């Protein structure tokens, strides 16, 4: 799951990126409004985290520009301006959430996860597919009550499929969501990781939950039909 961070302050960039990467996200960083604008239009981001004090343009102006251009990606303002009127102005300009730079980073992380649930219309942070349970808060997975250890990348792939349970997820969607902007990967990495994931969650003769739709992609679910 890739996030875009638009922030000119190097120390904030490094801190926020480190925390979010540790939480399993990929983070693209834009150091000014112009590159933030370009990336926001080009990339498929789960959430955009936007600073207001940018060197070339006010963050609120960039927000307004993105909204007027039809960008519907959830945008979270991260700023040191946290008077009530600043928050009101931010939300009324089209932001989805507002976090002060003085908040603990765990809160930023939790708010990003909440925005991702909103994007996929999921209310419960515990995603369930038959006897498979994916806890998006702790990033832990179990099947039939038995814990399944996954690597961070396997977990991200499973969570992405689970957020779209019952729907076909194309290889391109997966590739863009998990590996966007990473030139070292290619789309057959998706098939490799699907293979790893199947071995772990469907091993030992358990009922298959990841179904291949020939020519399109994959469906996570009990019985997607063919
Ligand atoms: Ca700034």
């Amino acid at each position: 799951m890739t996030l875009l961070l638009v922030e000119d302050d190097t120390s904030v960039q490094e801190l926020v990126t480190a925390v979010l990467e540790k939480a399993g996200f990929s983070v693209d960083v834009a150091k000014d409004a112009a590159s933030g604008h370009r990336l926001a239009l080009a990339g498929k981001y789960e959430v955009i985290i936007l600073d207001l004090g940018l060197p070339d343009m006010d963050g609120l102006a960039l927000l307004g520009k993105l909204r007027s251009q039809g960008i519907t990606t959830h945008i979270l303002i991260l700023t040191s301006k946290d008077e009530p009127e600043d928050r009101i102005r931010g939300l009324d300009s089209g932001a989805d959430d507002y976090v002060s730079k003085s908040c603990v980073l765990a809160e930023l992380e939790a708010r990003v996860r909440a925005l991702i649930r909103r994007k996929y219309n999921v209310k419960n942070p515990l995603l369930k597919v038959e006897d498979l349970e994916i806890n998006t808060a702790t990033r832990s997975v179990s099947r039939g009550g038995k814990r399944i250890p996954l690597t961070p990348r396997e977990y991200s792939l499973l969570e992405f499929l689970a957020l779209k349970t019952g729907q076909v997820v194309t290889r391109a969607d997966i590739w863009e969501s998990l590996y966007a902007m990473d030139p070292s990967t290619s789309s057959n990495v998706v098939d490799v990781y699907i293979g790893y994931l199947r071995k772990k969650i469907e091993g030992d003769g358990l009922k298959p939950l990841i179904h291949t739709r020939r020519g399109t992609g994959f469906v996570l679910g009990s019985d997607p039909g063919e």
Side-chain angles (χ1 to χ4, degrees), residues 7-9 51-55 101:
E7 168 67 74
D8 59 318
D9 182 325
D51 174 36
L52 293 186
L54 295 167
K101 279 181 183 166

PDB file of all heavy atoms in Angstrom, residues 7-9 51-55 101, ligand 1:
ATOM      1  N   GLU A   7       5.912  16.978   1.869  1.00  0.00           N
ATOM      2  CA  GLU A   7       6.499  17.611   3.059  1.00  0.00           C
ATOM      3  C   GLU A   7       7.894  18.122   2.712  1.00  0.00           C
ATOM      4  O   GLU A   7       8.706  17.387   2.154  1.00  0.00           O
ATOM      5  CB  GLU A   7       6.559  16.560   4.177  1.00  0.00           C
ATOM      6  CG  GLU A   7       7.385  16.914   5.383  1.00  0.00           C
ATOM      7  CD  GLU A   7       6.797  18.074   6.181  1.00  0.00           C
ATOM      8  OE1 GLU A   7       5.787  17.868   6.881  1.00  0.00           O
ATOM      9  OE2 GLU A   7       7.358  19.184   6.080  1.00  0.00           O
ATOM     10  N   ASP A   8       8.182  19.398   3.028  1.00  0.00           N
ATOM     11  CA  ASP A   8       9.493  19.947   2.681  1.00  0.00           C
ATOM     12  C   ASP A   8      10.516  19.807   3.814  1.00  0.00           C
ATOM     13  O   ASP A   8      11.719  19.889   3.575  1.00  0.00           O
ATOM     14  CB  ASP A   8       9.369  21.433   2.292  1.00  0.00           C
ATOM     15  CG  ASP A   8       8.793  22.273   3.414  1.00  0.00           C
ATOM     16  OD1 ASP A   8       7.824  21.801   4.061  1.00  0.00           O
ATOM     17  OD2 ASP A   8       9.293  23.371   3.663  1.00  0.00           O
ATOM     18  N   ASP A   9      10.052  19.586   5.037  1.00  0.00           N
ATOM     19  CA  ASP A   9      10.973  19.512   6.172  1.00  0.00           C
ATOM     20  C   ASP A   9      11.599  18.117   6.239  1.00  0.00           C
ATOM     21  O   ASP A   9      10.917  17.120   6.477  1.00  0.00           O
ATOM     22  CB  ASP A   9      10.167  19.825   7.446  1.00  0.00           C
ATOM     23  CG  ASP A   9      11.033  19.833   8.692  1.00  0.00           C
ATOM     24  OD1 ASP A   9      11.985  19.033   8.780  1.00  0.00           O
ATOM     25  OD2 ASP A   9      10.747  20.649   9.579  1.00  0.00           O
ATOM     26  N   ASP A  51       1.486  18.434   3.984  1.00  0.00           N
ATOM     27  CA  ASP A  51       1.916  19.526   4.860  1.00  0.00           C
ATOM     28  C   ASP A  51       1.332  20.818   4.299  1.00  0.00           C
ATOM     29  O   ASP A  51       1.111  20.928   3.094  1.00  0.00           O
ATOM     30  CB  ASP A  51       3.464  19.558   4.822  1.00  0.00           C
ATOM     31  CG  ASP A  51       4.053  20.740   5.567  1.00  0.00           C
ATOM     32  OD1 ASP A  51       3.487  21.125   6.604  1.00  0.00           O
ATOM     33  OD2 ASP A  51       5.088  21.264   5.106  1.00  0.00           O
ATOM     34  N   LEU A  52       1.062  21.803   5.164  1.00  0.00           N
ATOM     35  CA  LEU A  52       0.475  23.052   4.645  1.00  0.00           C
ATOM     36  C   LEU A  52       1.524  24.090   4.255  1.00  0.00           C
ATOM     37  O   LEU A  52       1.352  24.816   3.288  1.00  0.00           O
ATOM     38  CB  LEU A  52      -0.498  23.649   5.671  1.00  0.00           C
ATOM     39  CG  LEU A  52      -1.766  22.825   5.920  1.00  0.00           C
ATOM     40  CD1 LEU A  52      -2.719  23.593   6.829  1.00  0.00           C
ATOM     41  CD2 LEU A  52      -2.467  22.456   4.620  1.00  0.00           C
ATOM     42  N   GLY A  53       2.628  24.118   4.991  1.00  0.00           N
ATOM     43  CA  GLY A  53       3.654  25.126   4.687  1.00  0.00           C
ATOM     44  C   GLY A  53       4.667  24.579   3.702  1.00  0.00           C
ATOM     45  O   GLY A  53       5.691  24.041   4.093  1.00  0.00           O
ATOM     46  N   LEU A  54       4.378  24.697   2.417  1.00  0.00           N
ATOM     47  CA  LEU A  54       5.290  24.191   1.383  1.00  0.00           C
ATOM     48  C   LEU A  54       6.003  25.375   0.743  1.00  0.00           C
ATOM     49  O   LEU A  54       5.471  26.482   0.719  1.00  0.00           O
ATOM     50  CB  LEU A  54       4.503  23.389   0.338  1.00  0.00           C
ATOM     51  CG  LEU A  54       3.865  22.100   0.884  1.00  0.00           C
ATOM     52  CD1 LEU A  54       2.859  21.524  -0.106  1.00  0.00           C
ATOM     53  CD2 LEU A  54       4.937  21.071   1.211  1.00  0.00           C
ATOM     54  N   PRO A  55       7.206  25.152   0.207  1.00  0.00           N
ATOM     55  CA  PRO A  55       7.997  26.292  -0.278  1.00  0.00           C
ATOM     56  C   PRO A  55       7.404  27.010  -1.496  1.00  0.00           C
ATOM     57  O   PRO A  55       7.559  28.216  -1.634  1.00  0.00           O
ATOM     58  CB  PRO A  55       9.354  25.656  -0.623  1.00  0.00           C
ATOM     59  CG  PRO A  55       9.095  24.200  -0.763  1.00  0.00           C
ATOM     60  CD  PRO A  55       7.950  23.893   0.137  1.00  0.00           C
ATOM     61  N   LYS A 101       1.182  18.080  13.926  1.00  0.00           N
ATOM     62  CA  LYS A 101       2.539  17.521  14.012  1.00  0.00           C
ATOM     63  C   LYS A 101       2.928  17.212  15.457  1.00  0.00           C
ATOM     64  O   LYS A 101       3.898  16.517  15.699  1.00  0.00           O
ATOM     65  CB  LYS A 101       3.553  18.468  13.369  1.00  0.00           C
ATOM     66  CG  LYS A 101       3.577  18.317  11.858  1.00  0.00           C
ATOM     67  CD  LYS A 101       4.579  19.228  11.181  1.00  0.00           C
ATOM     68  CE  LYS A 101       4.479  19.048   9.678  1.00  0.00           C
ATOM     69  NZ  LYS A 101       5.183  20.113   8.941  1.00  0.00           N
TER      70      LYS A 101
HETATM   71 CA1  LIG B   1       6.605  22.715   5.812  1.00  0.00          CA
END
